[in-house]
Amino acid sequence: MNSFARHSSDRVHSSSLSGRPMSVSPLFPAPDFADFALNIITVLMMYGPFYLANTGAMLFGKWIPDKMGFSSAVIDGGRNWNDGYRILGDGKTWHGMFGGAVFSGLLTILAHHTWSSNAPPDARPFVDPTLFSDSSDWFWLGGEWGAAFAMGFTLGLACMLGDTAGSFVKRRRGLKREGDESSKAPLLDTVPFAVSIFLFAFLLFDDQIIMHEQLHDEIIALLVLTPIIHRLFNVLGYRLGLKSVPY
């Protein structure tokens, strides 16, 4: 088991050998706005590998196929829904969905390798998302590295499922892709994948540090801020010439 105790360290008080209560520092203290903001950034860093599944989807679903000269398998097979619009569109492929999940798994391994010795609160915002994991966890597959990949792959896939659900809703609203760029729908481009990640984290990783009880408010704050963060990165990509539209 990780030397950082899973449950004893997240209590505000514990007991000494004599039975007397002793203070235990909270992992994510937020006595003021600065610490609250630092905790939000910490949540963003821990969830960063899962958020970046979309980047992996772009790499495996479009960039690599284009460079290698093969076509990605479109999820909806080019079929339309009964409203006459595509079910999902050409932008949603099996290569992208599972490539994005694998990408998240690899990034989570990197985060574990880089930050595994970091202990909050001092190490914030660079906290290993698998810090609380041990051999008793369902996703402990082949040791700590397998656990890191399994967590990343699972929540990366959750990201892709949420993103796919958002595309389905956009198609039902008659919003079409503009060439290689997604149609302009900032909330549908961000909220579904973020909600899906946090929902699956709650259902499957509720005893892990990524769902720590002291971070619930910060998780909600990050969910609210996600469309703004997404927009800022898209504008930056547009100004750098990496995107043809700023969304």
Side-chain angles (χ1 to χ4, degrees), residues 8-15 22-27:
S8 62
S9 59
D10 64 1
R11 293 196 297 263
V12 176
H13 296 89
S14 186
S15 297
M22 62 180 184
S23 296
V24 176
S25 299
L27 299 186

Side-chain angles (χ1 to χ4, degrees), residues 74-185:
V74 178
I75 294 176
D76 67 10
R79 295 185 296 273
N80 292 339
W81 194 249
N82 54 20
D83 56 9
Y85 294 107
R86 287 285 296 277
I87 298 174
L88 296 173
D90 291 339
K92 301 305 170 190
T93 68
W94 293 113
H95 291 79
M97 175 172 286
F98 288 101
V102 169
F103 189 68
S104 288
L106 296 176
L107 289 179
T108 307
I109 288 177
L110 179 61
H112 174 63
H113 171 73
T114 307
W115 301 331
S116 60
S117 61
N118 293 2
D122 295 338
R124 295 175 298 168
F126 306 110
V127 177
D128 176 10
T130 68
L131 188 63
F132 283 2
S133 64
D134 61 34
S135 58
S136 67
D137 291 310
W138 67 266
F139 59 95
W140 190 269
L141 306 174
E144 60 183 293
W145 304 108
F149 181 83
M151 175 185 283
F153 182 91
T154 301
L155 295 180
L157 184 60
C159 174
M160 300 315 305
L161 291 174
D163 186 64
T164 300
S167 290
F168 179 80
V169 175
K170 286 194 294 183
R171 299 296 93 79
R172 304 291 66 77
R173 294 180 57 190
L175 298 174
K176 302 178 181 179
R177 292 181 62 84
E178 299 174 11
D180 293 331
E181 297 292 340
S182 176
S183 53
K184 187 177 183 180

